[in-house]
Every structure is written in structure tokens, then in C-alpha cells.
Amino acid sequence: ASKNTLVRNEQMQKAVISLISLLVHKDRKEDELEDTDVDMLMLAGNDNLKTFEMVLRLFNRGIGRHILIAGGVGRLTLPLRNASAARGYAGIDADNEAAIIQQIMIRITQEGRDFADKEVLIAQIKDPQRVILETKSRYTLENFMNAKVILQEKGLLKENKKFKLLYIQTPLQQLRAKGMFNKVFSEELASGRIEGISFTIDYTQEDIERADEDDLISAIVGETFRIVVNIQKGDVVLDSALGKGIRSISENDWQNAVTLFRALAPESQKPLADILIKTWKGIGISREAMFANLSEKAEEFVRLIVSSSPIDVINRNILYDQDRNNTLILNGLPTKRVDGSDREETEIILM
């Protein structure tokens, strides 16, 4: 672990704060939610127990009439179990993230000082009419895809009424979550049947100062790169006053991503770049598609990551061999699949 010197390096701190402000995307401040008339709170599967506490706090204040917890089995299932154990929550036993999170929320309520009537809140959390579990999705995009099916089956996406869904992911993944919501619910957004409210917990100056420097930079750079990949794939739809897609993010922030990656020690750059290139390859877009219509600084950022990894990014080197027991070949190295699918293994591991 490297000592955090970000607070003593003004340029680095500005880059970190700017990108965190971008990634931790909120459509409303918390004190503005009282007047929003939220129909449902959606918690996308993750291992940050503070997001569970936030959902409980909002729900206890009457913000949201229902909760939807999304998460099957994915890359964060084991970290979620570990986070629960680290909190001292013994005996939590479920085979999917949504049910694990529900049990953790009950424990949080039992020990919470901010909940006046704990028994009522616990009964509501256990009530399948109030708290809906989506137990099949493996990553954030599927969280929204499967949530949409549930909303449709329950007849909640009506022509004459806008359904208000407030969705929460971990702070650094919230912008990507917003883009995936926009992708999945594009028709409903266009027809006025749904309004998405992007909201998450804060990422504070104290969090920045407490974090290991390399870990924090790697998390920020990694998430920024995943946004590029998903925008270019078409799985993230973003727009801002600056433009659409890649151009919804300022050239200054793409430059910040370049600055932060270059600040990593060489021994930290290559492992991170390797992971990000495997993520790109796992999602399955070509080199041509990846570089299509990138802004100048976004292209510089992507080329910097590519040049830091020996992994070939030409997609013909991704092989899927049914005769080798559902094994994915990445750069000549076999990687066992979770199932026989064509795409999700690398996402489960890396996304």
C-alpha cells in the first residue's frame, strides 16, 4: 500500500475531486427528495453496506413506497458476504445478493439508533409486497433489465402516470448506473412512463484522505475506462450540456484520467491496464468500434491504457471453444467460465 499524498499534491487532488464529482452522480440532493414523490427505491447489488443504510433511512422517512433489491450471483457476492461478516452479522445465509442484502438490512435496522419503530420497519422489509427481490442479475446492466421486467409484470409502467424510480449504486459506479438506466428504459423515458432519479451516498474528503493512493486512483481510472467501453458498446447512454455519449464528459476530465493513470507507479499501471483491457475484450467490441468518434482527450486516455498492457485488443484473439469445456481463451490463456454464455464471464469478474 502506498501512502496517500493526494492531499499534499494540489494538481492530483483537483483531478481526483473533479472525477469523483463526475462519477458520483446525483440528480437530487438528499434534502430535496422529500418533495419528489418517489414510487420505488431500487438498490443495485453491491457490497457497500452504507448504501443499504441510505435506502433504509430514505424508506423510513417515507421516501419510496416500495424497495426493489436487485442482485443474483456475480463478482460481488463473495465480497458482500465478507462485508457482512466484517460487520459482525453472523448467520446470514442466502444464495443470492438480493436476499443477503435484505437480511443485512434487517440487522442494520435492529442495531440502528435512528429508527424509532424498529419492529414496524423490520416487518416492512420482510413484506414481499413492500420489498421486492430480483435474484437473477449478475451485473448492473442486468439489474436494470430484470427490474424493468418486474415493473412491467406488475403493471407499474403506465401510459398516463410517470413512475418515479430512485436507484442507488456505489458512489463511483453511479454515473455508469445512470447511463445503464437510460439505456434500458429509453422507450419509457421517451414516452414519459418513467422518471429515473440517480442518487447515492457521498464520497467525502475524509474518504479521499483515508484511502490508499494507488487503490483510489485505480478505482477512479478503472471506472472512467469502463464508462468509455460501455458508451462505445451502447450499454451506457449519457448526455449533458456538453454533448452526448463520450462528449457528455469534459475534455478536462478525460485529461484528469490521463493524469491520474500516469501518476501510478509502473508496477501498478500494468496490472490495472491488463484488467481494463480484459474488460474491454469481455464486453466484445472491436478496436474500430472502441475508437470510433472519441474526443481527442478520451482517445489519448484509451491509447494510454492500451499501450500499458501487452494484451492484444484485436477481437479475433478472443476465442470461445465449445470443445474445451466452455473455456474462454484470453490472449492465449484459458479462463474457466461460470456458465456457457458468450459474454458475461469477464463482466462477472471485472465489472
Side-chain angles (χ1 to χ4, degrees):
S2 61
K3 188 176 181 180
N4 192 328
T5 60
L6 292 175
V7 293
R8 296 193 295 272
N9 184 321
E10 185 176 353
Q11 180 186 14
M12 294 285 290
Q13 186 175 44
K14 285 182 177 179
V16 165
I17 291 173
S18 182
L19 282 173
I20 287 176
S21 297
L22 171 74
L23 298 173
V24 186
H25 182 88
K26 299 183 186 185
D27 290 331
R28 304 276 197 285
K29 296 179 181 178
E30 186 174 347
D31 60 8
E32 297 173 340
L33 296 177
E34 301 282 359
D35 301 322
T36 306
D37 193 24
V38 174
D39 291 295
M40 180 178 286
L41 304 172
M42 176 179 165
L43 180 59
N46 70 82
D47 62 343
N48 187 330
L49 272 59
K50 290 183 180 179
T51 65
F52 313 166
E53 294 169 351
M54 174 60 76
V55 169
L56 284 169
R57 188 162 75 242
L58 295 178
F59 190 67
N60 189 55
R61 286 164 48 195
I63 298 171
R65 288 177 276 279
H66 302 274
I67 298 173
L68 191 156
I69 307 172
V73 177
R75 72 177 180 91
L76 289 178
T77 307
L78 180 58
L80 173 60
R81 292 184 185 278
N82 292 340
S84 174
R87 186 77 170 256
Y89 297 152
I92 289 180
D93 183 26
D95 61 3
N96 61 80
E97 292 174 12
I100 294 170
I101 291 170
Q102 183 186 39
Q103 292 181 31
I104 293 173
M105 290 172 76
I106 291 171
R107 297 292 185 88
I108 291 172
T109 303
Q110 289 171 337
E111 69 178 22
R113 298 177 181 177
D114 298 331
F115 307 121
D117 198 335
K118 296 181 182 181
E119 295 305 316
V120 170
L121 183 56
I122 289 170
Q124 292 174 332
I125 297 168
K126 292 180 177 180
D127 183 355
Q129 300 301 315
R130 299 295 299 275
V131 177
I132 302 163
L133 304 185
E134 184 285 303
T135 63
K136 302 298 183 183
S137 56
R138 295 161 291 179
Y139 46 90
T140 304
L141 185 64
E142 277 195 354
N143 289 166
F144 286 119
M145 293 168 66
N146 293 351
K148 179 177 176 177
V149 172
I150 290 172
L151 296 182
Q152 289 172 328
E153 289 176 345
K154 292 185 174 295
L156 297 174
L157 301 178
K158 301 175 182 178
E159 295 289 347
N160 57 349
K161 185 181 184 300
K162 182 176 288 186
F163 186 84
K164 294 185 179 181
L165 179 71
L166 184 150
Y167 52 91
I168 294 179
Q169 241 300 356
T170 57
L172 296 184
Q173 293 183 28
Q174 190 65 32
L175 180 64
R176 179 155 54 100
K178 178 180 178 67
M180 289 179 170
F181 170 86
N182 290 343
K183 160 73 173 181
V184 172
F185 288 94
S186 58
E187 293 182 6
E188 291 74 17
L189 286 166
S191 63
R193 284 177 285 166
I194 197 168
E195 177 184 347
I197 302 164
S198 175
F199 188 78
T200 189
I201 60 176
D202 292 329
Y203 200 103
T204 66
Q205 182 66 29
E206 182 181 348
D207 293 328
I208 294 172
E209 294 174 3
R210 188 170 56 239
D212 172 80
E213 182 177 307
D214 278 6
D215 288 348
L216 177 59
I217 291 175
S218 295
I220 293 170
V221 170
E223 184 57 29
T224 306
F225 188 84
R226 292 181 183 101
I227 287 175
V228 180
V229 175
N230 280 278
I231 287 176
Q232 297 301 83
K233 174 68 175 178
D235 287 343
V236 161
V237 176
L238 295 173
D239 62 68
S240 72
L242 298 173
K244 296 181 181 297
I246 290 293
R247 286 168 174 77
S248 67
I249 298 172
S250 72
E251 288 289 83
N252 183 61
D253 274 326
W254 292 122
Q255 179 60 55
N256 285 333
V258 170
T259 298
L260 291 182
F261 184 78
R262 286 179 172 157
L264 289 171
E267 59 268 24
S268 298
Q269 288 181 352
K270 181 184 176 299
L272 175 59
D274 287 349
I275 288 173
L276 297 179
I277 297 303
K278 288 179 182 179
T279 298
W280 167 358
K281 296 181 75 167
I283 288 180
I285 62 174
S286 68
R287 185 186 181 98
E288 291 73 22
M290 183 64 171
F291 282 95
N293 300 314
L294 291 179
S295 66
E296 179 183 350
K297 292 299 181 180
E299 180 172 339
E300 180 182 350
F301 174 54
V302 173
R303 291 192 182 280
L304 178 61
I305 300 297
V306 171
S307 68
S308 302
S309 171
I311 298 175
D312 194 337
V313 295
I314 301 175
N315 276 70
R316 66 172 176 268
N317 290 336
I318 300 178
L319 304 177
Y320 179 60
D321 190 347
Q322 289 280 8
D323 297 327
R324 294 188 61 183
N325 192 26
N326 290 338
T327 296
L328 178 69
I329 310 298
L330 282 176
N331 202 35
L333 300 175
T335 304
K336 289 292 290 183
R337 284 193 173 279
V338 174
D339 56 26
S341 65
D342 230 28
R343 168 183 171 190
E344 282 77 16
E345 187 305 328
T346 305
E347 288 192 73
I348 291 170
I349 293 173
L350 302 172
M351 296 300 287

